[in-house]
Structure formats: C-alpha cells, structure tokens
PDB file of all heavy atoms in Angstrom:
ATOM      1  N   ILE Y   1      40.437 -30.339   4.276  1.00  0.00           N
ATOM      2  CA  ILE Y   1      39.513 -29.246   4.587  1.00  0.00           C
ATOM      3  C   ILE Y   1      40.263 -27.942   4.834  1.00  0.00           C
ATOM      4  O   ILE Y   1      39.924 -26.893   4.271  1.00  0.00           O
ATOM      5  CB  ILE Y   1      38.640 -29.587   5.807  1.00  0.00           C
ATOM      6  CG1 ILE Y   1      37.677 -30.733   5.484  1.00  0.00           C
ATOM      7  CG2 ILE Y   1      37.859 -28.359   6.278  1.00  0.00           C
ATOM      8  CD1 ILE Y   1      36.578 -30.385   4.516  1.00  0.00           C
ATOM      9  N   ALA Y   2      41.291 -27.967   5.655  1.00  0.00           N
ATOM     10  CA  ALA Y   2      42.046 -26.745   5.957  1.00  0.00           C
ATOM     11  C   ALA Y   2      42.646 -26.154   4.694  1.00  0.00           C
ATOM     12  O   ALA Y   2      42.623 -24.926   4.493  1.00  0.00           O
ATOM     13  CB  ALA Y   2      43.137 -27.046   6.981  1.00  0.00           C
ATOM     14  N   GLU Y   3      43.187 -27.018   3.833  1.00  0.00           N
ATOM     15  CA  GLU Y   3      43.768 -26.545   2.580  1.00  0.00           C
ATOM     16  C   GLU Y   3      42.708 -25.851   1.721  1.00  0.00           C
ATOM     17  O   GLU Y   3      42.977 -24.808   1.120  1.00  0.00           O
ATOM     18  CB  GLU Y   3      44.367 -27.729   1.821  1.00  0.00           C
ATOM     19  CG  GLU Y   3      45.023 -27.363   0.502  1.00  0.00           C
ATOM     20  CD  GLU Y   3      45.569 -28.574  -0.236  1.00  0.00           C
ATOM     21  OE1 GLU Y   3      45.655 -29.649   0.390  1.00  0.00           O
ATOM     22  OE2 GLU Y   3      45.894 -28.436  -1.430  1.00  0.00           O
ATOM     23  N   GLN Y   4      41.520 -26.417   1.676  1.00  0.00           N
ATOM     24  CA  GLN Y   4      40.439 -25.812   0.898  1.00  0.00           C
ATOM     25  C   GLN Y   4      40.032 -24.453   1.463  1.00  0.00           C
ATOM     26  O   GLN Y   4      39.772 -23.507   0.710  1.00  0.00           O
ATOM     27  CB  GLN Y   4      39.223 -26.732   0.870  1.00  0.00           C
ATOM     28  CG  GLN Y   4      39.391 -28.001   0.077  1.00  0.00           C
ATOM     29  CD  GLN Y   4      38.085 -28.782   0.012  1.00  0.00           C
ATOM     30  OE1 GLN Y   4      37.088 -28.309  -0.541  1.00  0.00           O
ATOM     31  NE2 GLN Y   4      38.083 -29.978   0.596  1.00  0.00           N
ATOM     32  N   VAL Y   5      39.976 -24.359   2.786  1.00  0.00           N
ATOM     33  CA  VAL Y   5      39.595 -23.098   3.436  1.00  0.00           C
ATOM     34  C   VAL Y   5      40.607 -22.004   3.098  1.00  0.00           C
ATOM     35  O   VAL Y   5      40.235 -20.887   2.697  1.00  0.00           O
ATOM     36  CB  VAL Y   5      39.499 -23.276   4.966  1.00  0.00           C
ATOM     37  CG1 VAL Y   5      39.321 -21.918   5.654  1.00  0.00           C
ATOM     38  CG2 VAL Y   5      38.335 -24.194   5.324  1.00  0.00           C
ATOM     39  N   LEU Y   6      41.882 -22.301   3.260  1.00  0.00           N
ATOM     40  CA  LEU Y   6      42.913 -21.298   3.013  1.00  0.00           C
ATOM     41  C   LEU Y   6      42.983 -20.909   1.542  1.00  0.00           C
ATOM     42  O   LEU Y   6      43.201 -19.730   1.212  1.00  0.00           O
ATOM     43  CB  LEU Y   6      44.262 -21.813   3.491  1.00  0.00           C
ATOM     44  CG  LEU Y   6      44.374 -22.071   5.001  1.00  0.00           C
ATOM     45  CD1 LEU Y   6      45.774 -22.552   5.359  1.00  0.00           C
ATOM     46  CD2 LEU Y   6      44.016 -20.838   5.807  1.00  0.00           C
ATOM     47  N   LYS Y   7      42.766 -21.867   0.661  1.00  0.00           N
ATOM     48  CA  LYS Y   7      42.762 -21.567  -0.774  1.00  0.00           C
ATOM     49  C   LYS Y   7      41.614 -20.627  -1.117  1.00  0.00           C
ATOM     50  O   LYS Y   7      41.780 -19.658  -1.875  1.00  0.00           O
ATOM     51  CB  LYS Y   7      42.649 -22.861  -1.575  1.00  0.00           C
ATOM     52  CG  LYS Y   7      42.709 -22.663  -3.077  1.00  0.00           C
ATOM     53  CD  LYS Y   7      42.650 -24.001  -3.811  1.00  0.00           C
ATOM     54  CE  LYS Y   7      42.697 -23.800  -5.318  1.00  0.00           C
ATOM     55  NZ  LYS Y   7      42.628 -25.107  -6.047  1.00  0.00           N
ATOM     56  N   ALA Y   8      40.438 -20.888  -0.549  1.00  0.00           N
ATOM     57  CA  ALA Y   8      39.277 -20.027  -0.808  1.00  0.00           C
ATOM     58  C   ALA Y   8      39.482 -18.634  -0.232  1.00  0.00           C
ATOM     59  O   ALA Y   8      39.141 -17.623  -0.873  1.00  0.00           O
ATOM     60  CB  ALA Y   8      38.016 -20.666  -0.214  1.00  0.00           C
ATOM     61  N   MET Y   9      40.070 -18.553   0.964  1.00  0.00           N
ATOM     62  CA  MET Y   9      40.310 -17.252   1.585  1.00  0.00           C
ATOM     63  C   MET Y   9      41.329 -16.445   0.776  1.00  0.00           C
ATOM     64  O   MET Y   9      41.158 -15.234   0.569  1.00  0.00           O
ATOM     65  CB  MET Y   9      40.810 -17.431   3.017  1.00  0.00           C
ATOM     66  CG  MET Y   9      41.020 -16.109   3.768  1.00  0.00           C
ATOM     67  SD  MET Y   9      41.691 -16.326   5.439  1.00  0.00           S
ATOM     68  CE  MET Y   9      43.343 -16.903   5.059  1.00  0.00           C
ATOM     69  N   ASP Y  10      42.369 -17.092   0.309  1.00  0.00           N
ATOM     70  CA  ASP Y  10      43.389 -16.394  -0.484  1.00  0.00           C
ATOM     71  C   ASP Y  10      42.800 -15.834  -1.778  1.00  0.00           C
ATOM     72  O   ASP Y  10      43.238 -14.779  -2.269  1.00  0.00           O
ATOM     73  CB  ASP Y  10      44.538 -17.349  -0.816  1.00  0.00           C
ATOM     74  CG  ASP Y  10      45.420 -17.648   0.388  1.00  0.00           C
ATOM     75  OD1 ASP Y  10      45.347 -16.888   1.374  1.00  0.00           O
ATOM     76  OD2 ASP Y  10      46.156 -18.658   0.346  1.00  0.00           O
ATOM     77  N   ALA Y  11      41.811 -16.530  -2.343  1.00  0.00           N
ATOM     78  CA  ALA Y  11      41.212 -16.101  -3.608  1.00  0.00           C
ATOM     79  C   ALA Y  11      40.097 -15.075  -3.412  1.00  0.00           C
ATOM     80  O   ALA Y  11      39.620 -14.486  -4.398  1.00  0.00           O
ATOM     81  CB  ALA Y  11      40.664 -17.313  -4.355  1.00  0.00           C
ATOM     82  N   TYR Y  12      39.697 -14.838  -2.163  1.00  0.00           N
ATOM     83  CA  TYR Y  12      38.556 -13.961  -1.880  1.00  0.00           C
ATOM     84  C   TYR Y  12      38.940 -12.490  -2.032  1.00  0.00           C
ATOM     85  O   TYR Y  12      39.766 -11.969  -1.288  1.00  0.00           O
ATOM     86  CB  TYR Y  12      38.037 -14.234  -0.468  1.00  0.00           C
ATOM     87  CG  TYR Y  12      36.884 -13.353  -0.035  1.00  0.00           C
ATOM     88  CD1 TYR Y  12      35.782 -13.147  -0.857  1.00  0.00           C
ATOM     89  CD2 TYR Y  12      36.892 -12.737   1.220  1.00  0.00           C
ATOM     90  CE1 TYR Y  12      34.725 -12.350  -0.456  1.00  0.00           C
ATOM     91  CE2 TYR Y  12      35.841 -11.950   1.635  1.00  0.00           C
ATOM     92  CZ  TYR Y  12      34.754 -11.752   0.792  1.00  0.00           C
ATOM     93  OH  TYR Y  12      33.712 -10.956   1.199  1.00  0.00           O
ATOM     94  N   ASP Y  13      38.317 -11.830  -2.983  1.00  0.00           N
ATOM     95  CA  ASP Y  13      38.523 -10.398  -3.219  1.00  0.00           C
ATOM     96  C   ASP Y  13      37.180  -9.700  -3.026  1.00  0.00           C
ATOM     97  O   ASP Y  13      36.358  -9.639  -3.945  1.00  0.00           O
ATOM     98  CB  ASP Y  13      39.060 -10.164  -4.629  1.00  0.00           C
ATOM     99  CG  ASP Y  13      39.213  -8.677  -4.956  1.00  0.00           C
ATOM    100  OD1 ASP Y  13      39.091  -7.844  -4.029  1.00  0.00           O
ATOM    101  OD2 ASP Y  13      39.441  -8.352  -6.137  1.00  0.00           O
ATOM    102  N   TYR Y  14      36.950  -9.176  -1.831  1.00  0.00           N
ATOM    103  CA  TYR Y  14      35.629  -8.615  -1.546  1.00  0.00           C
ATOM    104  C   TYR Y  14      35.358  -7.306  -2.281  1.00  0.00           C
ATOM    105  O   TYR Y  14      34.222  -6.859  -2.374  1.00  0.00           O
ATOM    106  CB  TYR Y  14      35.417  -8.453  -0.040  1.00  0.00           C
ATOM    107  CG  TYR Y  14      36.518  -7.751   0.717  1.00  0.00           C
ATOM    108  CD1 TYR Y  14      36.740  -6.388   0.603  1.00  0.00           C
ATOM    109  CD2 TYR Y  14      37.332  -8.470   1.602  1.00  0.00           C
ATOM    110  CE1 TYR Y  14      37.736  -5.752   1.322  1.00  0.00           C
ATOM    111  CE2 TYR Y  14      38.333  -7.848   2.325  1.00  0.00           C
ATOM    112  CZ  TYR Y  14      38.532  -6.488   2.181  1.00  0.00           C
ATOM    113  OH  TYR Y  14      39.526  -5.858   2.904  1.00  0.00           O
ATOM    114  N   ASN Y  15      36.391  -6.689  -2.818  1.00  0.00           N
ATOM    115  CA  ASN Y  15      36.183  -5.421  -3.530  1.00  0.00           C
ATOM    116  C   ASN Y  15      35.635  -5.615  -4.948  1.00  0.00           C
ATOM    117  O   ASN Y  15      35.260  -4.639  -5.607  1.00  0.00           O
ATOM    118  CB  ASN Y  15      37.492  -4.631  -3.591  1.00  0.00           C
ATOM    119  CG  ASN Y  15      37.872  -4.062  -2.239  1.00  0.00           C
ATOM    120  OD1 ASN Y  15      37.036  -3.529  -1.524  1.00  0.00           O
ATOM    121  ND2 ASN Y  15      39.144  -4.197  -1.877  1.00  0.00           N
ATOM    122  N   ARG Y  16      35.576  -6.838  -5.416  1.00  0.00           N
ATOM    123  CA  ARG Y  16      35.102  -7.061  -6.786  1.00  0.00           C
ATOM    124  C   ARG Y  16      33.579  -7.145  -6.871  1.00  0.00           C
ATOM    125  O   ARG Y  16      33.009  -7.127  -7.966  1.00  0.00           O
ATOM    126  CB  ARG Y  16      35.709  -8.341  -7.360  1.00  0.00           C
ATOM    127  CG  ARG Y  16      35.161  -9.632  -6.791  1.00  0.00           C
ATOM    128  CD  ARG Y  16      35.777 -10.832  -7.509  1.00  0.00           C
ATOM    129  NE  ARG Y  16      35.309 -12.115  -6.993  1.00  0.00           N
ATOM    130  CZ  ARG Y  16      34.192 -12.714  -7.384  1.00  0.00           C
ATOM    131  NH1 ARG Y  16      33.402 -12.143  -8.282  1.00  0.00           N
ATOM    132  NH2 ARG Y  16      33.855 -13.890  -6.885  1.00  0.00           N
ATOM    133  N   TYR Y  17      32.906  -7.218  -5.709  1.00  0.00           N
ATOM    134  CA  TYR Y  17      31.452  -7.394  -5.732  1.00  0.00           C
ATOM    135  C   TYR Y  17      30.729  -6.051  -5.870  1.00  0.00           C
ATOM    136  O   TYR Y  17      31.205  -5.018  -5.397  1.00  0.00           O
ATOM    137  CB  TYR Y  17      30.974  -8.099  -4.457  1.00  0.00           C
ATOM    138  CG  TYR Y  17      31.478  -9.518  -4.342  1.00  0.00           C
ATOM    139  CD1 TYR Y  17      32.603  -9.818  -3.565  1.00  0.00           C
ATOM    140  CD2 TYR Y  17      30.857 -10.557  -5.025  1.00  0.00           C
ATOM    141  CE1 TYR Y  17      33.070 -11.123  -3.457  1.00  0.00           C
ATOM    142  CE2 TYR Y  17      31.322 -11.868  -4.927  1.00  0.00           C
ATOM    143  CZ  TYR Y  17      32.429 -12.133  -4.139  1.00  0.00           C
ATOM    144  OH  TYR Y  17      32.904 -13.416  -4.036  1.00  0.00           O
ATOM    145  N   THR Y  18      29.563  -6.103  -6.510  1.00  0.00           N
ATOM    146  CA  THR Y  18      28.718  -4.919  -6.683  1.00  0.00           C
ATOM    147  C   THR Y  18      27.443  -5.085  -5.862  1.00  0.00           C
ATOM    148  O   THR Y  18      27.133  -6.179  -5.368  1.00  0.00           O
ATOM    149  CB  THR Y  18      28.335  -4.747  -8.158  1.00  0.00           C
ATOM    150  OG1 THR Y  18      27.499  -5.860  -8.557  1.00  0.00           O
ATOM    151  CG2 THR Y  18      29.573  -4.695  -9.049  1.00  0.00           C
ATOM    152  N   GLU Y  19      26.707  -4.004  -5.746  1.00  0.00           N
ATOM    153  CA  GLU Y  19      25.431  -4.070  -5.039  1.00  0.00           C
ATOM    154  C   GLU Y  19      24.483  -5.044  -5.738  1.00  0.00           C
ATOM    155  O   GLU Y  19      23.680  -5.725  -5.092  1.00  0.00           O
ATOM    156  CB  GLU Y  19      24.806  -2.677  -4.958  1.00  0.00           C
ATOM    157  CG  GLU Y  19      23.608  -2.597  -4.034  1.00  0.00           C
ATOM    158  CD  GLU Y  19      23.143  -1.172  -3.826  1.00  0.00           C
ATOM    159  OE1 GLU Y  19      23.984  -0.310  -3.498  1.00  0.00           O
ATOM    160  OE2 GLU Y  19      21.932  -0.919  -3.994  1.00  0.00           O
ATOM    161  N   GLU Y  20      24.581  -5.134  -7.042  1.00  0.00           N
ATOM    162  CA  GLU Y  20      23.762  -6.088  -7.792  1.00  0.00           C
ATOM    163  C   GLU Y  20      24.100  -7.524  -7.396  1.00  0.00           C
ATOM    164  O   GLU Y  20      23.206  -8.372  -7.255  1.00  0.00           O
ATOM    165  CB  GLU Y  20      23.983  -5.893  -9.297  1.00  0.00           C
ATOM    166  CG  GLU Y  20      23.130  -6.807 -10.167  1.00  0.00           C
ATOM    167  CD  GLU Y  20      23.385  -6.582 -11.648  1.00  0.00           C
ATOM    168  OE1 GLU Y  20      24.073  -5.596 -11.994  1.00  0.00           O
ATOM    169  OE2 GLU Y  20      22.902  -7.399 -12.459  1.00  0.00           O
ATOM    170  N   ASP Y  21      25.391  -7.810  -7.206  1.00  0.00           N
ATOM    171  CA  ASP Y  21      25.806  -9.142  -6.751  1.00  0.00           C
ATOM    172  C   ASP Y  21      25.216  -9.453  -5.378  1.00  0.00           C
ATOM    173  O   ASP Y  21      24.780 -10.580  -5.110  1.00  0.00           O
ATOM    174  CB  ASP Y  21      27.333  -9.224  -6.666  1.00  0.00           C
ATOM    175  CG  ASP Y  21      28.017  -9.097  -8.017  1.00  0.00           C
ATOM    176  OD1 ASP Y  21      27.447  -9.565  -9.015  1.00  0.00           O
ATOM    177  OD2 ASP Y  21      29.123  -8.509  -8.057  1.00  0.00           O
ATOM    178  N   VAL Y  22      25.230  -8.444  -4.523  1.00  0.00           N
ATOM    179  CA  VAL Y  22      24.714  -8.634  -3.159  1.00  0.00           C
ATOM    180  C   VAL Y  22      23.211  -8.930  -3.195  1.00  0.00           C
ATOM    181  O   VAL Y  22      22.733  -9.859  -2.526  1.00  0.00           O
ATOM    182  CB  VAL Y  22      24.996  -7.396  -2.290  1.00  0.00           C
ATOM    183  CG1 VAL Y  22      24.386  -7.579  -0.897  1.00  0.00           C
ATOM    184  CG2 VAL Y  22      26.501  -7.146  -2.180  1.00  0.00           C
ATOM    185  N   MET Y  23      22.453  -8.162  -3.965  1.00  0.00           N
ATOM    186  CA  MET Y  23      21.007  -8.381  -4.042  1.00  0.00           C
ATOM    187  C   MET Y  23      20.699  -9.763  -4.619  1.00  0.00           C
ATOM    188  O   MET Y  23      19.753 -10.432  -4.178  1.00  0.00           O
ATOM    189  CB  MET Y  23      20.358  -7.294  -4.890  1.00  0.00           C
ATOM    190  CG  MET Y  23      20.356  -5.919  -4.240  1.00  0.00           C
ATOM    191  SD  MET Y  23      19.612  -5.912  -2.569  1.00  0.00           S
ATOM    192  CE  MET Y  23      17.954  -6.519  -2.911  1.00  0.00           C
ATOM    193  N   ARG Y  24      21.472 -10.190  -5.584  1.00  0.00           N
ATOM    194  CA  ARG Y  24      21.272 -11.521  -6.147  1.00  0.00           C
ATOM    195  C   ARG Y  24      21.524 -12.586  -5.079  1.00  0.00           C
ATOM    196  O   ARG Y  24      20.785 -13.584  -4.993  1.00  0.00           O
ATOM    197  CB  ARG Y  24      22.199 -11.726  -7.336  1.00  0.00           C
ATOM    198  CG  ARG Y  24      21.977 -13.047  -8.067  1.00  0.00           C
ATOM    199  CD  ARG Y  24      22.639 -13.075  -9.441  1.00  0.00           C
ATOM    200  NE  ARG Y  24      24.032 -12.674  -9.388  1.00  0.00           N
ATOM    201  CZ  ARG Y  24      24.508 -11.541  -9.925  1.00  0.00           C
ATOM    202  NH1 ARG Y  24      23.690 -10.684 -10.515  1.00  0.00           N
ATOM    203  NH2 ARG Y  24      25.803 -11.253  -9.852  1.00  0.00           N
ATOM    204  N   ALA Y  25      22.534 -12.387  -4.236  1.00  0.00           N
ATOM    205  CA  ALA Y  25      22.827 -13.328  -3.153  1.00  0.00           C
ATOM    206  C   ALA Y  25      21.712 -13.336  -2.109  1.00  0.00           C
ATOM    207  O   ALA Y  25      21.327 -14.394  -1.599  1.00  0.00           O
ATOM    208  CB  ALA Y  25      24.160 -12.972  -2.499  1.00  0.00           C
ATOM    209  N   ILE Y  26      21.192 -12.158  -1.787  1.00  0.00           N
ATOM    210  CA  ILE Y  26      20.108 -12.069  -0.812  1.00  0.00           C
ATOM    211  C   ILE Y  26      18.879 -12.831  -1.291  1.00  0.00           C
ATOM    212  O   ILE Y  26      18.217 -13.550  -0.535  1.00  0.00           O
ATOM    213  CB  ILE Y  26      19.749 -10.587  -0.533  1.00  0.00           C
ATOM    214  CG1 ILE Y  26      20.887  -9.894   0.222  1.00  0.00           C
ATOM    215  CG2 ILE Y  26      18.429 -10.477   0.254  1.00  0.00           C
ATOM    216  CD1 ILE Y  26      20.698  -8.397   0.384  1.00  0.00           C
ATOM    217  N   GLU Y  27      18.569 -12.711  -2.560  1.00  0.00           N
ATOM    218  CA  GLU Y  27      17.344 -13.287  -3.116  1.00  0.00           C
ATOM    219  C   GLU Y  27      17.493 -14.739  -3.547  1.00  0.00           C
ATOM    220  O   GLU Y  27      16.505 -15.410  -3.855  1.00  0.00           O
ATOM    221  CB  GLU Y  27      16.881 -12.435  -4.304  1.00  0.00           C
ATOM    222  CG  GLU Y  27      16.486 -11.024  -3.904  1.00  0.00           C
ATOM    223  CD  GLU Y  27      16.390 -10.066  -5.081  1.00  0.00           C
ATOM    224  OE1 GLU Y  27      16.594 -10.533  -6.238  1.00  0.00           O
ATOM    225  OE2 GLU Y  27      16.114  -8.869  -4.857  1.00  0.00           O
ATOM    226  N   SER Y  28      18.712 -15.255  -3.548  1.00  0.00           N
ATOM    227  CA  SER Y  28      18.948 -16.619  -4.009  1.00  0.00           C
ATOM    228  C   SER Y  28      18.334 -17.631  -3.044  1.00  0.00           C
ATOM    229  O   SER Y  28      18.309 -17.445  -1.827  1.00  0.00           O
ATOM    230  CB  SER Y  28      20.449 -16.876  -4.124  1.00  0.00           C
ATOM    231  OG  SER Y  28      20.704 -18.228  -4.436  1.00  0.00           O
ATOM    232  N   GLU Y  29      17.859 -18.742  -3.596  1.00  0.00           N
ATOM    233  CA  GLU Y  29      17.308 -19.817  -2.777  1.00  0.00           C
ATOM    234  C   GLU Y  29      18.371 -20.853  -2.424  1.00  0.00           C
ATOM    235  O   GLU Y  29      18.219 -21.602  -1.453  1.00  0.00           O
ATOM    236  CB  GLU Y  29      16.137 -20.488  -3.506  1.00  0.00           C
ATOM    237  CG  GLU Y  29      14.914 -19.583  -3.669  1.00  0.00           C
ATOM    238  CD  GLU Y  29      13.746 -20.318  -4.275  1.00  0.00           C
ATOM    239  OE1 GLU Y  29      13.879 -21.540  -4.528  1.00  0.00           O
ATOM    240  OE2 GLU Y  29      12.702 -19.685  -4.512  1.00  0.00           O
ATOM    241  N   ASN Y  30      19.415 -20.933  -3.210  1.00  0.00           N
ATOM    242  CA  ASN Y  30      20.513 -21.877  -2.962  1.00  0.00           C
ATOM    243  C   ASN Y  30      21.838 -21.118  -3.014  1.00  0.00           C
ATOM    244  O   ASN Y  30      22.502 -21.063  -4.048  1.00  0.00           O
ATOM    245  CB  ASN Y  30      20.499 -22.998  -3.999  1.00  0.00           C
ATOM    246  CG  ASN Y  30      19.225 -23.827  -3.939  1.00  0.00           C
ATOM    247  OD1 ASN Y  30      18.992 -24.530  -2.955  1.00  0.00           O
ATOM    248  ND2 ASN Y  30      18.412 -23.747  -4.975  1.00  0.00           N
ATOM    249  N   ARG Y  31      22.211 -20.517  -1.889  1.00  0.00           N
ATOM    250  CA  ARG Y  31      23.374 -19.636  -1.859  1.00  0.00           C
ATOM    251  C   ARG Y  31      24.670 -20.432  -1.893  1.00  0.00           C
ATOM    252  O   ARG Y  31      24.808 -21.480  -1.280  1.00  0.00           O
ATOM    253  CB  ARG Y  31      23.318 -18.737  -0.621  1.00  0.00           C
ATOM    254  CG  ARG Y  31      22.097 -17.816  -0.638  1.00  0.00           C
ATOM    255  CD  ARG Y  31      22.009 -16.910   0.576  1.00  0.00           C
ATOM    256  NE  ARG Y  31      20.716 -16.220   0.569  1.00  0.00           N
ATOM    257  CZ  ARG Y  31      19.644 -16.678   1.193  1.00  0.00           C
ATOM    258  NH1 ARG Y  31      19.707 -17.791   1.914  1.00  0.00           N
ATOM    259  NH2 ARG Y  31      18.501 -16.007   1.109  1.00  0.00           N
ATOM    260  N   THR Y  32      25.621 -19.894  -2.609  1.00  0.00           N
ATOM    261  CA  THR Y  32      26.941 -20.500  -2.766  1.00  0.00           C
ATOM    262  C   THR Y  32      27.954 -19.740  -1.910  1.00  0.00           C
ATOM    263  O   THR Y  32      27.648 -18.683  -1.323  1.00  0.00           O
ATOM    264  CB  THR Y  32      27.377 -20.431  -4.231  1.00  0.00           C
ATOM    265  OG1 THR Y  32      27.525 -19.048  -4.600  1.00  0.00           O
ATOM    266  CG2 THR Y  32      26.341 -21.093  -5.135  1.00  0.00           C
ATOM    267  N   LEU Y  33      29.178 -20.241  -1.886  1.00  0.00           N
ATOM    268  CA  LEU Y  33      30.244 -19.523  -1.197  1.00  0.00           C
ATOM    269  C   LEU Y  33      30.532 -18.184  -1.874  1.00  0.00           C
ATOM    270  O   LEU Y  33      30.921 -17.217  -1.210  1.00  0.00           O
ATOM    271  CB  LEU Y  33      31.516 -20.369  -1.145  1.00  0.00           C
ATOM    272  CG  LEU Y  33      31.485 -21.556  -0.171  1.00  0.00           C
ATOM    273  CD1 LEU Y  33      32.784 -22.347  -0.268  1.00  0.00           C
ATOM    274  CD2 LEU Y  33      31.259 -21.083   1.266  1.00  0.00           C
ATOM    275  N   ASP Y  34      30.317 -18.103  -3.185  1.00  0.00           N
ATOM    276  CA  ASP Y  34      30.488 -16.822  -3.875  1.00  0.00           C
ATOM    277  C   ASP Y  34      29.421 -15.825  -3.430  1.00  0.00           C
ATOM    278  O   ASP Y  34      29.701 -14.637  -3.243  1.00  0.00           O
ATOM    279  CB  ASP Y  34      30.430 -17.013  -5.387  1.00  0.00           C
ATOM    280  CG  ASP Y  34      30.844 -15.753  -6.138  1.00  0.00           C
ATOM    281  OD1 ASP Y  34      31.976 -15.269  -5.905  1.00  0.00           O
ATOM    282  OD2 ASP Y  34      30.041 -15.241  -6.939  1.00  0.00           O
ATOM    283  N   ASP Y  35      28.200 -16.295  -3.225  1.00  0.00           N
ATOM    284  CA  ASP Y  35      27.146 -15.434  -2.668  1.00  0.00           C
ATOM    285  C   ASP Y  35      27.542 -14.952  -1.278  1.00  0.00           C
ATOM    286  O   ASP Y  35      27.352 -13.779  -0.930  1.00  0.00           O
ATOM    287  CB  ASP Y  35      25.823 -16.196  -2.586  1.00  0.00           C
ATOM    288  CG  ASP Y  35      25.227 -16.499  -3.945  1.00  0.00           C
ATOM    289  OD1 ASP Y  35      25.399 -15.683  -4.870  1.00  0.00           O
ATOM    290  OD2 ASP Y  35      24.580 -17.557  -4.074  1.00  0.00           O
ATOM    291  N   PHE Y  36      28.076 -15.862  -0.494  1.00  0.00           N
ATOM    292  CA  PHE Y  36      28.534 -15.520   0.863  1.00  0.00           C
ATOM    293  C   PHE Y  36      29.593 -14.428   0.809  1.00  0.00           C
ATOM    294  O   PHE Y  36      29.571 -13.477   1.594  1.00  0.00           O
ATOM    295  CB  PHE Y  36      29.074 -16.783   1.530  1.00  0.00           C
ATOM    296  CG  PHE Y  36      29.577 -16.607   2.936  1.00  0.00           C
ATOM    297  CD1 PHE Y  36      28.797 -16.026   3.925  1.00  0.00           C
ATOM    298  CD2 PHE Y  36      30.846 -17.057   3.290  1.00  0.00           C
ATOM    299  CE1 PHE Y  36      29.255 -15.881   5.226  1.00  0.00           C
ATOM    300  CE2 PHE Y  36      31.316 -16.928   4.581  1.00  0.00           C
ATOM    301  CZ  PHE Y  36      30.522 -16.337   5.550  1.00  0.00           C
ATOM    302  N   GLY Y  37      30.511 -14.546  -0.133  1.00  0.00           N
ATOM    303  CA  GLY Y  37      31.532 -13.515  -0.305  1.00  0.00           C
ATOM    304  C   GLY Y  37      30.929 -12.165  -0.620  1.00  0.00           C
ATOM    305  O   GLY Y  37      31.384 -11.129  -0.112  1.00  0.00           O
ATOM    306  N   ALA Y  38      29.888 -12.147  -1.451  1.00  0.00           N
ATOM    307  CA  ALA Y  38      29.210 -10.889  -1.771  1.00  0.00           C
ATOM    308  C   ALA Y  38      28.546 -10.296  -0.530  1.00  0.00           C
ATOM    309  O   ALA Y  38      28.603  -9.078  -0.296  1.00  0.00           O
ATOM    310  CB  ALA Y  38      28.176 -11.128  -2.867  1.00  0.00           C
ATOM    311  N   LEU Y  39      27.932 -11.141   0.284  1.00  0.00           N
ATOM    312  CA  LEU Y  39      27.225 -10.681   1.480  1.00  0.00           C
ATOM    313  C   LEU Y  39      28.170 -10.067   2.511  1.00  0.00           C
ATOM    314  O   LEU Y  39      27.758  -9.220   3.311  1.00  0.00           O
ATOM    315  CB  LEU Y  39      26.460 -11.838   2.111  1.00  0.00           C
ATOM    316  CG  LEU Y  39      25.314 -12.408   1.263  1.00  0.00           C
ATOM    317  CD1 LEU Y  39      24.811 -13.724   1.857  1.00  0.00           C
ATOM    318  CD2 LEU Y  39      24.169 -11.401   1.156  1.00  0.00           C
ATOM    319  N   LEU Y  40      29.430 -10.481   2.491  1.00  0.00           N
ATOM    320  CA  LEU Y  40      30.422  -9.939   3.419  1.00  0.00           C
ATOM    321  C   LEU Y  40      31.168  -8.731   2.850  1.00  0.00           C
ATOM    322  O   LEU Y  40      31.956  -8.102   3.556  1.00  0.00           O
ATOM    323  CB  LEU Y  40      31.449 -11.015   3.785  1.00  0.00           C
ATOM    324  CG  LEU Y  40      30.984 -12.124   4.734  1.00  0.00           C
ATOM    325  CD1 LEU Y  40      32.018 -13.228   4.806  1.00  0.00           C
ATOM    326  CD2 LEU Y  40      30.695 -11.563   6.125  1.00  0.00           C
ATOM    327  N   SER Y  41      30.917  -8.375   1.613  1.00  0.00           N
ATOM    328  CA  SER Y  41      31.674  -7.314   0.945  1.00  0.00           C
ATOM    329  C   SER Y  41      31.198  -5.927   1.358  1.00  0.00           C
ATOM    330  O   SER Y  41      30.078  -5.757   1.861  1.00  0.00           O
ATOM    331  CB  SER Y  41      31.530  -7.457  -0.570  1.00  0.00           C
ATOM    332  OG  SER Y  41      30.220  -7.090  -0.986  1.00  0.00           O
ATOM    333  N   PRO Y  42      32.025  -4.905   1.158  1.00  0.00           N
ATOM    334  CA  PRO Y  42      31.590  -3.522   1.423  1.00  0.00           C
ATOM    335  C   PRO Y  42      30.355  -3.133   0.621  1.00  0.00           C
ATOM    336  O   PRO Y  42      29.569  -2.283   1.057  1.00  0.00           O
ATOM    337  CB  PRO Y  42      32.808  -2.693   1.003  1.00  0.00           C
ATOM    338  CG  PRO Y  42      33.972  -3.623   1.153  1.00  0.00           C
ATOM    339  CD  PRO Y  42      33.448  -4.975   0.770  1.00  0.00           C
ATOM    340  N   ALA Y  43      30.141  -3.756  -0.528  1.00  0.00           N
ATOM    341  CA  ALA Y  43      28.983  -3.434  -1.360  1.00  0.00           C
ATOM    342  C   ALA Y  43      27.666  -3.786  -0.688  1.00  0.00           C
ATOM    343  O   ALA Y  43      26.598  -3.303  -1.106  1.00  0.00           O
ATOM    344  CB  ALA Y  43      29.088  -4.171  -2.699  1.00  0.00           C
TER     345      ALA Y  43
END
C-alpha cells in the first residue's frame, strides 16, 4: 500500500489539469483517483 501511495504521488502533476477536467470530475458518478487529482488542482 505505501509503495502504491508514493508511486501515485510521484506521478501526480496537478498543473496538467484543465477546468474541463475538473468539471468532468465534479459531475462524474464514479470518481477515480485521476478525478481526485483534478479536484485538487489549481484549475
């Protein structure tokens, strides 16, 4: 589990998300970790 967490954090680039990505995450019924990344982004 710890290895998976650190691997995901290392790969997380919050600057790559757009406002469109964020709105898609907000409206999604089954949110993924990628959606979560968008929700935490500056966008």
Side-chain angles (χ1 to χ4, degrees):
I1 293 291
E3 181 182 347
Q4 291 185 63
V5 171
L6 296 181
K7 183 178 179 180
M9 183 183 69
D10 287 343
Y12 178 48
D13 177 10
Y14 50 72
N15 288 316
R16 73 176 179 85
Y17 295 98
T18 65
E19 190 172 309
E20 182 180 350
D21 295 326
V22 177
M23 290 306 301
R24 185 165 51 248
I26 291 173
E27 296 164 2
S28 174
E29 293 185 2
N30 298 293
R31 297 180 188 93
T32 64
L33 287 177
D34 190 57
D35 291 327
F36 180 53
L39 295 169
L40 286 170
S41 72

